[in-house]
Amino acid sequence: MKVLNFGSLNIDYTYQVEHIVNPKETISSLGLEVFPGGKGLNQSIALAKAGAEVYHAGLIGEDGLFLKEVCSSNHVHTDYIKESDTRTGNAIIQVSSAGENSIILFPGANRQNTKAYVDEVLGHFEEGDILLLQNEINEVDYLIEKGKEKGMTVAFNPSPFDDYVRKCDLTKVDLFFVNEVEGEQITGEKLPENIIACMREQFPEAEIVLTLGENGAIWSGKNENIAVPAVPAEAVDTTAAGDTFTGYFLAAVIEGRNKRQALERAAMASAMAVAKKGASISIPWKEEVDQKIGSE
């Protein structure tokens, strides 16, 4: 079973600030660091570091060629990453002294995908493979449709949530990864149990993973819900927490672990990631997570 992650590749410009800037306010940053990022790249690296075989597809500009090298060095297959004439997508990230973040995305090359490119890449995958998607690229609706036609398992993290997500046929999604904000945007509900109930009604055939930050996470299937607590962590940078969770959960399921074990491993990996600065570079390797779990 292979994983195709058709997703974003970004250059992250991360500014350290005392607090997230408010409207009409100007503040000075305490520092600037440049990291590889993008939800797609982060999730591919999380999958690879967790031991899964993952292929990344997406577009970069000439300024982002190093992102392909970053993927390769982290055991992500880069056969389907292509170069575009458009500047690489980037993110302006504020990280507060409390470890919270605020992000502005510039899509760049991430929104230059074509249906022909999608068809070319999907031609290398088959029934039973996993197609992982986020909402930082274009042609997501087409990818969901064509991935489902091929019999692939479609996993979708609808972030950042916008009107484009509503245009997608979400009934064809097999596995959702959502946080409380995205859950509310999809359902109109605020309480976790209501989000789950509403999504179960809307998408009865799908599995749902709802992440709740310091309140843990919930997996929901047709006849069962499983909840696990968060792993306590001193947050330094939460930028890749959700992406780490997604990658480690999927990798654990591919390994044959049950859903509770997958949630627990994902929670541990996510806690380890937020304790370090940066996005993809903060994601721990499988051996580190194994050691941490073994010492608990």
Side-chain angles (χ1 to χ4, degrees), residues 9-47:
L9 299 118
N10 283 345
I11 303 171
D12 287 351
Y13 298 93
T14 302
Y15 294 84
Q16 302 294 328
V17 292
E18 286 289 347
H19 64 270
I20 304 300
V21 68
N22 295 310
K24 300 182 180 180
E25 181 184 27
T26 300
I27 61 176
S28 295
S29 71
L30 304 176
L32 166 64
E33 295 176 279
V34 180
F35 298 107
K39 292 190 73 63
L41 179 143
N42 293 340
Q43 290 179 14
S44 282
I45 289 179
L47 275 157

Side-chain angles (χ1 to χ4, degrees), residues 198-214:
C198 190
M199 289 192 70
R200 287 251 55 85
E201 184 175 345
Q202 290 184 57
F203 314 110
E205 301 302 314
E207 295 180 21
I208 301 154
V209 175
L210 174 63
T211 56
L212 303 168
E214 62 184 14

Side-chain angles (χ1 to χ4, degrees), residues 226-274:
I226 298 173
V228 300
V231 176
E234 185 174 341
V236 173
D237 184 353
T238 61
T239 305
D243 299 330
T244 302
F245 195 102
T246 296
Y248 263 83
F249 180 89
L250 272 177
V253 171
I254 292 169
E255 275 187 355
R257 298 179 189 270
N258 63 42
K259 297 303 191 300
R260 182 174 297 279
Q261 290 171 328
L263 288 172
E264 290 171 345
R265 288 185 65 79
M268 177 61 76
S270 183
M272 294 171 70
V274 303

Side-chain angles (χ1 to χ4, degrees), residues 54-65:
V54 55
Y55 293 77
H56 194 96
L59 298 176
I60 51 176
E62 187 176 355
D63 57 327
L65 292 177

Side-chain angles (χ1 to χ4, degrees), residues 12-194:
D12 287 351
Y13 298 93
T14 302
Y15 294 84
Q16 302 294 328
V17 292
E18 286 289 347
H19 64 270
I20 304 300
V21 68
N22 295 310
K24 300 182 180 180
E25 181 184 27
T26 300
I27 61 176
S28 295
S29 71
L30 304 176
L32 166 64
E33 295 176 279
V34 180
F35 298 107
K39 292 190 73 63
L41 179 143
N42 293 340
Q43 290 179 14
S44 282
I45 289 179
L47 275 157
K49 284 187 169 183
E53 183 178 14
V54 55
Y55 293 77
H56 194 96
L59 298 176
I60 51 176
E62 187 176 355
D63 57 327
L65 292 177
F66 76 98
L67 296 176
K68 190 172 182 178
E69 297 173 5
V70 168
C71 287
S72 293
S73 65
N74 285 285
H75 304 168
V76 176
H77 296 287
T78 61
D79 312 56
Y80 311 119
I81 296 176
K82 287 193 171 184
E83 193 174 338
S84 167
D85 293 333
T86 304
R87 184 181 177 185
T88 303
N90 63 67
I92 304 300
I93 304 173
Q94 299 177 64
V95 180
S96 74
S97 56
E100 295 299 319
N101 66 67
S102 177
I103 303 172
I104 299 174
L105 290 174
F106 167 69
N110 291 317
R111 292 288 172 90
Q112 301 300 311
N113 297 298
T114 65
K115 290 181 173 62
Y117 174 39
V118 169
D119 291 340
E120 176 190 342
V121 174
L122 288 181
H124 297 278
F125 295 84
E126 57 190 22
E127 182 176 354
D129 290 336
I130 295 173
L131 174 61
L132 175 61
L133 303 168
Q134 314 81 28
N135 193 39
E136 290 184 351
I137 64 170
N138 65 321
E139 300 294 356
V140 172
D141 54 342
Y142 188 72
L143 277 156
I144 291 174
E145 176 188 344
K146 293 301 179 180
K148 193 67 173 179
E149 280 183 11
K150 289 184 70 72
M152 299 178 75
T153 297
V154 179
F156 186 34
N157 173 208
S159 176
F161 191 93
D162 56 23
D163 287 339
Y164 180 66
V165 174
R166 300 187 189 279
K167 296 177 182 178
C168 299
D169 186 355
L170 298 183
T171 63
K172 294 180 177 178
V173 173
D174 298 294
L175 173 59
F176 287 94
F177 289 96
V178 295
N179 61 21
E180 289 172 284
V181 174
E182 294 139 14
E184 181 181 355
Q185 289 168 322
I186 291 172
T187 66
E189 300 288 346
K190 291 182 179 293
L191 296 176
E193 57 268 31
N194 292 345

